[in-house]
Amino acid sequence: MMWLLGFASIGFGQDWTNTLEAVKPAVVSIQVNATRSFDTNSAGFSYATGFIVDAENGIILTNRHVVTPGPVVADAVLLNNEEVSLTPIYRDPVHDFGFYRFDPDEVQFLDLVELELAPEAARIDTEVRIIGNDAGEKGAILRGTLSRLDRPAPVYGRGRYNDFNTFYIQSASGTSGGSSGSPVLNIKGQVIALNAGSKRTAASSYFLPLDRVERALGLIQAGLPVTRGTLHATMTQLPYDELERRGLPEDVEARMRQRFPDTTGLLVVDKLVPAGAADGILRPGDILVGVQQAPLAAFVPLEAALDDNVGRPLSLQIVRSGVEMSVEVDVADLHASSPDSYLEIGGGIVNDLSYQKARTYGLPMEGVFVASTGYALSRAGVLDSAIIIEVDGMPTPTVKDFEDIMAAVPEGEAALVRYFHPNNPSRQFVFPVEPDREWFPMQRCTLDPETGLWPCAPSPSPPPPPDPQVVSTTFRMPRDRVARKLAPSLVMIDFDIPFRASGVYGATFRGAGLVVDAEQGLVACDRDTVPIRLGEVMLTFASAVQVPAEVVWLHPEHNVALLRYDPALLGDTPIKSARLNTEPLHEGDTVWQIGLGADETVVARKTTIERRRPTNLPLPRTPFFRDSNLALFDLESVVPSVGGVLTDKKGRVQATWASFVDLSDDPSAGLQGMPARVLKESINSVNQTSLQTLGVELLEVNLADARRLGLPETDAQMLDAHDDARRILAVSRLRAGAPAVNQLRAGDLILTINDQPATRFAEVEAASRGERVRVEVFRAGERMTLEVPTMPLSTQGVERVVSWAGALLHETPPWVAIQRGVEAKGVYVSWYWYGGPAARYGLRGTRRIIAVDGADVNDLDAFLEQVRGRRDREAIELTTKRLDGRVEVLTLRLDLEYWPTAELTLGANGWVRREQ
């Protein structure tokens, strides 16, 4: 059953209680998921309000910024909590209103009610009620009184969506977030305005008049297009006293006052879009007094004339510098000035520069607007909201032009992109941009007005990559004698990450590397420079030549990554393998700190080992790789660098000068010396896919503290005789799932390893490379000998990730087990994107999915099997477990249209992307 709500039709008395009870079934809560950043809108999820204006056809009126200018997935929740899916059918290019459609047949348990639009009933001092989802509270009711009918449109911020060329209605009612799109009702139950915005610093709400809304609704109901015309000009109303100072003739003023006795001013041209419809015909400051020879003093008749004359000339009567005249302007199609397609490139979004943006910044409507940089554009240095005007010297006035040029860029190559930021158009930048199709598909998506969807078409396939170019160079030798030995072994590393896998805390990393095998092209660096395998590595030699590399090996416990490049690409460049000296360093030893400065020059300083100390890094706030069981070196004095090595006087590497990052709060990194023995083990193990480990974290305990813990004197003397550092090792943490969990305990004091005294991390680690370790410990006043099996830890890192429902999934990283005591099982949620179902329904990072619709999933294959074949918009129940062990159940509705499943797998030839 459907009802038209209005005082006359329902017949209740003038009582707000009756009115509100009658209108409530027509008001809906709208859940809005903007799936992509587009034009003035950012991707993300929000709540808003709408109301039914046509129950038979299922049409809901709300704000434009609720319908959004781009791709959107939305649902409406009715008064009785029934949920219906919404299809966007209209968003006005300028004014803050739009329409959704739902299927009335989906509603089973509620009689639908529609509200009557009555724009003519909006009068000053009218008491009103606003019913909606104020501050997210469903069915909230606010009261107010209309105080102004001619308020300027609210300004929401530079570069954001802003309404213009209309008056707004003001009321002291103080609406807030969630009430966007609420009906403004009079006591008869008529909608006399549309709630649009509010002022945070005062209890003021701003309502959109319904004159143009009513027209648009009528055309939609009749199945006709909603024509919208524009002059690409912004008008403002100025009072007569100001107009007199601007030269308004007295007789014209008298005529206009007589014709419009209730108005206090006239419309004036404020801004013109360069190269727009009225540019060169109208001028800022022109006073409008007529349209098509009819007197004019308000926005509505002007817009009516524009909307009825799209593509035709329009006669305007104006006063310019005190002279009354008539001009003729060709009316442009306003819808054509709003972008209806976007290009996905390198994980970013670009669209045509819109009228909204061009008007804000005073720019012509040409160029490609960067709505979201994503991976490829941000990697190249392009900024969000930039405007791309040229690629490889060819202009890009539209997204289609940009796509055509970028599609012709060979795979693995880059194009020179010229852009500027609209805040400073006079300053232009040029950066090389690689489309990066390896990670992200390149495709253009265009609005289908019939479905409200934005289906995507793949961009043309790129040409094959050219043969790699061989380039030779030489090294600029530093003055320091020892540094000259290392200069041909140092390389600058840039590492860019397209997907935030494994809890990685950034997307761009830079540091120094060391060539350890020039013949094989093997380079070593720390894991703060190359933290994971999923990314792109570029090596720069001598600040002159750049070659790609791949990550081939990651130490599972220590701060070492190994990379490989093709030496043939460097021709005759005299690269040398660094020599190692694994003799232990001691406090007071003289070393040379040699590395690369931020400007890639070789820096060097003769210095002294100040002290040796264990890593003792705090636990990361988000689980991530963290070194442990290692003693590091500090220097008395250092030369600023991005990393390097510590050498003896012969230039042999005794330690790497590596970056260790503290992730317990905001990331902060410091450089310390790491013994060369760790580097040597890594090089020797480069072909091993795993290393055996005992599965414990150890800490150093002073011998005096150990005695207070009850360590027998004979053991204390034995350990003291073994190592004059007067420290012993104690178990700090155990890796969940390791065999050691069943035998060792936190607090155990280590006495011997394989029957030999052990007081150094290196001694325990060396013994742990076997399959079993005999560990003698002191626990609770008792000595005990334990046979502890070791366990393998992968040196390959994450080799497979899945993008599903807007979340990045992979196997649970191994460090979760040691840092949080959680077995590395289940499907780990590493990242989520705004605009995806994961963000909307609360599937957050660090959660582990352990069941799908009640079926257990222990790994990625089991998970994919459970979700394979699901329908678009189908609801799925996920059982997840937090790091603290709490189990949570959430439901998630799929969005396969905008967030299809894709898998990235590391193979012999690199990473391969496959759509599911």
Side-chain angles (χ1 to χ4, degrees), residues 896-908:
L896 300 179
E897 178 69 27
Y898 298 108
W899 298 97
T901 303
E903 184 174 347
L904 275 164
T905 306
L906 181 61

Side-chain angles (χ1 to χ4, degrees), residues 848-858 863 866 876-881 890:
R848 287 169 298 138
I849 302 172
I850 59 174
V852 176
D853 287 338
D856 292 344
V857 291
N858 292 319
F863 173 81
Q866 288 296 323
I876 292 181
E877 180 187 270
L878 301 177
T879 304
T880 67
K881 184 176 285 190
L890 61 89

Side-chain angles (χ1 to χ4, degrees), residues 345-373:
I345 178 171
I349 302 290
V350 298
N351 55 260
D352 289 337
L353 185 65
S354 68
Y355 180 25
Q356 279 280 342
K357 290 286 185 179
R359 168 190 167 272
T360 297
Y361 295 107
L363 300 170
M365 288 182 292
E366 288 189 349
V368 175
F369 177 75
V370 179
S372 173
T373 54

